[in-house]
Amino acid sequence: MNYILINEQTKEFHLTNGNISYIFNVLKNGSLGQLYFGKAIKHRTDFSHFQRTDIPTAASCHYFQDDPAFSLETIRQEYPVYGKGDFRDAAIELETNEGRIGNGFIYKSYEISQGKPNLKGLPATYAKENEASSITITLIDEKVQAELQLTYTIFHDFSVITRSVALRNSGSNPIYIKKLMSSSIDLPDAADLRMIHLAGTWSRERHLEKRDLVPGIHSVASIRGASSHHHNPFIALMRKDATEHDNEVYGFNFVYSSNFLGQVEVDHYDTARVMMGIHPHQFKWQLEGEDSFQTPEVVMVYSENGLNGMSQTFHNLYKNQLIRDPWKTEDRPILINNWEATYFDFNEEKLVNIAKSASELGIELFVLDDGWFGKRNDDTSSLGDWFENEEKLPDGLTSLSEKINKLGMEFGLWFEPEMVSPNSLLFETHPDWIIGRPQEHLTFGRNQLVLDFSREEVVEYLYEKMATIIKRTNLSYIKWDMNRNITDAFSNALSYEKQGEFFHRYILGVYTLYDKLTSEFPTVLFESCAGGGGRFDPGMLYYAPQAWTSDDTDAVERLKIQYGTSIVYPIYSMGSHVSAAPNHQTLRSTSIETRANTAYFGTFGYELNPLELSDEDRNVIKVQVEFYKTHRNLVRDGNFYRLQSPFEQNETAWMIVSKDKKEALVGYYKVLATPTTKKHQVLTLKGLDESISYTINGTEDIYYGDELMYRGLPLSVEFNGANGQHAERGGDYQSIVYYLKG
Ligand code: DGJ
């Protein structure tokens, strides 16, 4: 199949894989027009009638004096500029010493390649030659002497287009990039669309938000130096009548972990301009002659199967074409993390006892969290001093890791590489390594300062420290934390003119360190973390296949957090742990079953002190651990379906179905008990095979896929005040997990 069809006469480019079509063309003035993005359509030699030409108004400015119909104010475009008749936000803004802004880009050529080109120094989806086809369109601005390359990739087996942009200075004078969006697309029918995004804060990340699109700008953004707890670099536009499982949805996700802007501008002619890229706030990149600047990429998904269809495409793409070997297929170990068990208060004996007790429960990996280094006994010191805290670990990490390994467990360690405490040896030695002007007021976050990762020597120093520890402790896992956002953004290593490059250079430094460590130690599993879920983005997922979803481990809060996160990210990338009751973030007590029933739908682990558990709970945990070991491949490889939303009701339900549809795991959760429930107690399932008969929970109960999907799975009997003899569940925070086998 030819995935990129070109009409040379009309200069139209049609990217299609039989499921989606993406069509754009060269406009009369040499810029690019957007013609179509949606369900696949048959190819033809001319699609120009898809462009709307009926609406220039008397007030519109027209590009050509003799053609009032050609107005950029109303033409749908692919990479718009300011100053030529379009008064909406532009995708690019340059500055030259002659005062030019880069609005003269015109089409020059195209080049097709099989597979997908790498983006140097940046995380990105990847593809072999038989998995994707790419086209790069080159536009030039002769006055600015710059070349703009827009690269599009269509994946053969996914309803996905990725886009990124590179700008090359083809002259000898510097060009200053003030804005260079990774993608921009003008979609029609804005009045029929709603915007979906994921918003929150610490401990309440990625809650699902929906808003109507009215004329004006709707945006999500971060200028925190991290993608943030507050807004995820994701936007979807959904038809007004689209649901979880039906009708059209367009999703946009930015493969980047720092300042971003995702924006939908609705104009007065029913067009929605969706733009995504590095946030232009304080951004200014100096491009010398012959230099290039490469933007990160945007992943664009089209779904005709509602929001869930979009999510499954993101999940499958990220599982297969973003997360790298060996972690695509390797089992993720069930871990126990000592953070909520001990906080900073531990010594070797305490840790080994916890690990021993956990190993008896079948847990596979022991993770030592914050507090093992320098003189760290609370959060006021020692970040940067990556050597053992001798008071707590007099025999060192090597001795501890050997003891853990002897228990048959793997050993994992927490780092916060990007940070330094003012009270640390590292700060004493290298006070100039911090971000911020040395003699001026500095703003604190959790008593710590941020290291300047835009500097090679800083990255190199951290690499040496971490690599040495990995080697000498036989480390299997690293939790890479980042507990504060960036303030006082100023690099002492950059000239004043180049400070606008700081934020991007910082994250490139973070990616460099990740790249060096993951290349040298591919079998070490990295879990990214930023005070919980403050950097849960596809950029991080490229290096670290799982992320600590939130510091909030409360099972009820997690329903919303995990449901929201699943809108974009595979559930197997979400670190989800069973913690103690009452919960440390909410003081709510839920049963050990409900805590696990929520955490199973993620990468599973524990965050509690097993020595403080009752025998009964220990026995329950042994069963839970075995259960997850049996089903973790299903959690990793299956298709995830959201069935009932915690944002809409008291009940939440979701399920995961194996690719061959012969197995499924269904989670059902009811937050508050209700008396004599009105609704018929069934759960309508999705994604099963109509003709397969499934047994439920290994019992004799058998149901066909069609009954389960069209009538529903009968839920166990709920206590209603009068049916005590045969009620099987009841009370607040109740939950059930069903295993279906065909
Ligand atoms: C924030 C993380 O999200 C927690 O899990 C824990 O690692 C603490 N930092 C340690 O300081």
Side-chain angles (χ1 to χ4, degrees), residues 350-635:
K350 203 169 185 180
L351 297 176
V352 174
N353 285 340
I354 290 177
K356 184 164 180 298
S357 173
S359 74
E360 289 159 7
L361 301 173
I363 295 172
E364 300 158 307
L365 163 70
F366 174 80
V367 179
L368 172 53
D369 208 278
D370 195 353
W372 58 265
F373 48 90
K375 296 198 179 329
R376 188 137 164 121
N377 292 317
D378 55 31
D379 64 12
T380 59
S381 88
S382 303
L383 289 168
D385 294 346
W386 301 113
F387 50 82
E388 287 88 339
N389 181 320
E390 284 171 9
E391 233 173 78
K392 294 183 195 176
L393 302 172
D395 295 337
L397 281 176
T398 314
S399 150
L400 174 65
S401 73
E402 279 169 7
K403 288 184 181 133
I404 304 287
N405 288 162
K406 270 204 194 111
L407 293 168
M409 293 181 101
E410 292 178 293
F411 181 54
L413 210 50
W414 179 97
F415 285 91
E416 196 175 2
E418 296 153 75
M419 300 293 155
V420 65
S421 308
N423 180 6
S424 67
L425 288 176
L426 181 65
F427 186 72
E428 261 176 46
T429 327
H430 293 291
D432 57 319
W433 278 9
I434 58 154
I435 292 169
R437 293 174 203 252
Q439 307 310 334
E440 296 183 11
H441 176 265
L442 294 172
T443 303
F444 281 79
R446 212 194 186 202
N447 305 304
Q448 63 202 49
L449 299 170
V450 188
L451 287 171
D452 185 353
F453 261 55
S454 73
R455 297 171 76 150
E456 260 175 50
E457 68 269 40
V458 174
V459 172
E460 198 50 40
Y461 175 87
L462 268 310
Y463 166 73
E464 288 300 332
K465 292 284 165 216
M466 293 174 79
T468 311
I469 291 175
I470 294 174
K471 284 185 214 149
R472 78 177 163 84
T473 60
N474 188 27
L475 210 60
S476 303
Y477 163 105
I478 286 181
K479 178 174 173 188
W480 178 323
D481 207 344
M482 193 244 187
N483 278 296
R484 62 158 292 182
N485 290 143
I486 295 175
T487 55
D488 306 291
F490 181 87
S491 167
N492 292 294
L494 288 173
S495 63
Y496 293 129
E497 302 78 50
K498 284 180 162 265
Q499 292 299 328
E501 301 179 13
F502 164 72
F503 274 111
H504 185 59
R505 287 192 183 276
Y506 176 90
I507 202 69
L508 290 182
V510 172
Y511 290 152
T512 302
L513 183 55
Y514 258 119
D515 192 52
K516 281 166 81 90
L517 291 170
T518 52
S519 309
E520 189 171 344
F521 306 104
T523 57
V524 174
L525 172 62
F526 281 76
E527 177 152 354
S528 76
C529 172
R535 214 162 51 178
F536 204 129
D537 59 62
M540 281 291 132
L541 276 191
Y542 176 76
Y543 302 104
Q546 59 195 56
W548 182 225
T549 316
S550 176
D551 273 352
D552 198 331
T553 55
D554 173 74
V556 173
E557 290 304 303
R558 276 295 185 122
L559 293 176
K560 285 186 176 155
I561 295 169
Q562 292 178 205
Y563 189 100
T565 306
S566 82
I567 298 285
V568 188
Y569 304 102
I571 61 166
Y572 205 51
S573 65
M574 295 180 211
S576 347
H577 302 168
V578 173
S579 58
N583 177 269
H584 293 197
Q585 292 76 39
T586 59
L587 301 182
R588 183 184 285 130
S589 287
T590 57
S591 69
I592 192 107
E593 287 82 8
T594 286
R595 280 173 271 156
N597 286 348
T598 311
Y600 287 146
F601 291 82
T603 49
F604 190 63
Y606 289 84
E607 187 107 4
L608 43 68
N609 189 344
L611 298 162
E612 289 170 5
L613 293 169
S614 65
D615 286 348
E616 200 186 334
D617 278 356
R618 285 179 64 80
N619 288 334
V620 173
I621 289 182
K622 277 186 197 157
V623 177
Q624 292 176 345
V625 166
E626 276 319 301
F627 181 84
Y628 191 77
K629 284 181 186 167
T630 312
H631 298 303
R632 66 181 147 196
N633 289 356
L634 174 56
V635 176

